[in-house]
Amino acid sequence: MGKQLDFAMSHTNGSIVVIQDVQTATTLKSNTKTVFAVSVCLNTASTKGFIDALRLSKPGDEIHVVYVKSFLERTESDYTIALRTKFAKLFAAIHEEMKDVAHATYGDRVCTFHLLEKKKGYTTPQAIVEFADDVGAHFIVVGTNVLRSREKGKEHLGSISMQILMDSHKNFVIAHYHPSE
C-alpha cells in the first residue's frame, strides 16, 4: 500500500480515504453510526481533518477530536488551552447552526474533544490508536499539508501521522491541506 499511497499523495491536493476494512467502511453509506477519531494539533491540516470527518459523516455519527499531551505535562499548557478553545469554538459554531433548521448541515453530529495523557512508555501514535480502539472508531483521521513535499526532502506524512497509520488496521483519512483551498 505504501507505493500507492505515495503516488496518490504526489498527484492530488485533495484528501485521501484509505479503506483497509471494507465491512466497517460500509457504515458511511448505511444507517449504522460511524465513529471517527481525528488526531489534531493547532496546524491547519489537522483542522481540515476535522472538517473532512464532518463532510464524511452523517447525522448521529461521532467525531472524537484527540490530542495527546506529553507525559511530563502535569497541567494544561498555553498550547493545549489554545487547542481546546479552538475546537470548543468550532463545536459551538456547528451546533449554533442547528437553530436555523433550514440551513443546518452538521449540527446533528456528536463532536467531542479529548485531551489524552500519554502513558509512561507510550508514544503519541500508540495513545491515539488505543483511544480509537477504545471508542470503536471506524476511521482515524490525520492531517498533512502540501508544504511537506519530496522536492523539499520531506515525506508526505509527518512521523506521528505515519506511525498512527502503521500502528492501526483501521480505515483512515489523510486530510491533505493545500493553502489555496
Side-chain angles (χ1 to χ4, degrees):
M1 176 174 59
K3 288 183 181 180
Q4 294 92 343
L5 184 58
D6 188 53
F7 179 82
M9 297 284 301
S10 299
H11 291 84
T12 185
N13 288 333
S15 296
I16 298 169
V17 178
V18 178
I19 304 298
Q20 298 191 105
D21 180 354
V22 175
Q23 186 174 7
T24 62
T26 59
T27 62
L28 286 174
K29 289 186 171 184
S30 71
N31 290 332
T32 307
K33 175 177 67 175
T34 303
V35 180
F36 298 86
V38 184
S39 173
V40 299
C41 58
L42 282 175
N43 75 30
T44 308
S46 69
T47 305
K48 184 175 185 306
F50 170 67
I51 292 168
D52 285 352
L54 279 173
R55 289 176 176 162
L56 287 169
S57 67
K58 58 192 175 306
D61 285 354
E62 294 178 11
I63 301 172
H64 298 274
V65 174
V66 183
Y67 178 76
V68 180
K69 67 181 185 174
S70 167
F71 174 70
L72 297 174
E73 192 176 346
R74 299 283 183 235
T75 60
E76 283 199 52
S77 65
D78 291 343
Y79 187 89
T80 56
I81 291 169
L83 188 64
R84 184 187 297 279
T85 302
K86 174 183 180 174
F87 282 96
K89 287 178 181 178
L90 281 170
F91 295 169
I94 290 165
H95 291 289
E96 180 67 25
E97 77 172 9
M98 283 301 289
K99 292 179 181 173
D100 183 5
V101 178
H103 295 95
T105 307
Y106 301 113
D108 47 9
R109 277 50 166 192
V110 179
C111 301
T112 54
F113 180 84
H114 303 271
L115 185 61
L116 305 180
E117 293 190 24
K118 192 184 308 180
K119 296 177 185 173
K120 188 175 182 179
Y122 265 55
T123 64
T124 296
Q126 287 172 323
I128 291 171
V129 169
E130 182 179 89
F131 175 84
D133 289 342
D134 289 349
V135 297
H138 300 99
F139 289 86
I140 295 179
V141 184
V142 298
T144 190
N145 65 53
V146 295
L147 300 177
R148 299 192 63 84
S149 68
R150 288 282 164 94
E151 293 81 31
K152 294 182 179 183
K154 294 184 175 185
E155 297 294 326
H156 293 293
L157 287 174
S159 59
I160 299 291
S161 294
M162 179 59 83
Q163 195 62 48
I164 290 168
L165 303 182
M166 290 173 54
D167 287 354
S168 177
H169 297 290
K170 296 190 178 295
N171 304 307
F172 57 91
V173 178
I174 300 171
H176 200 192
Y177 171 72
H178 193 281
S180 66
E181 290 183 336

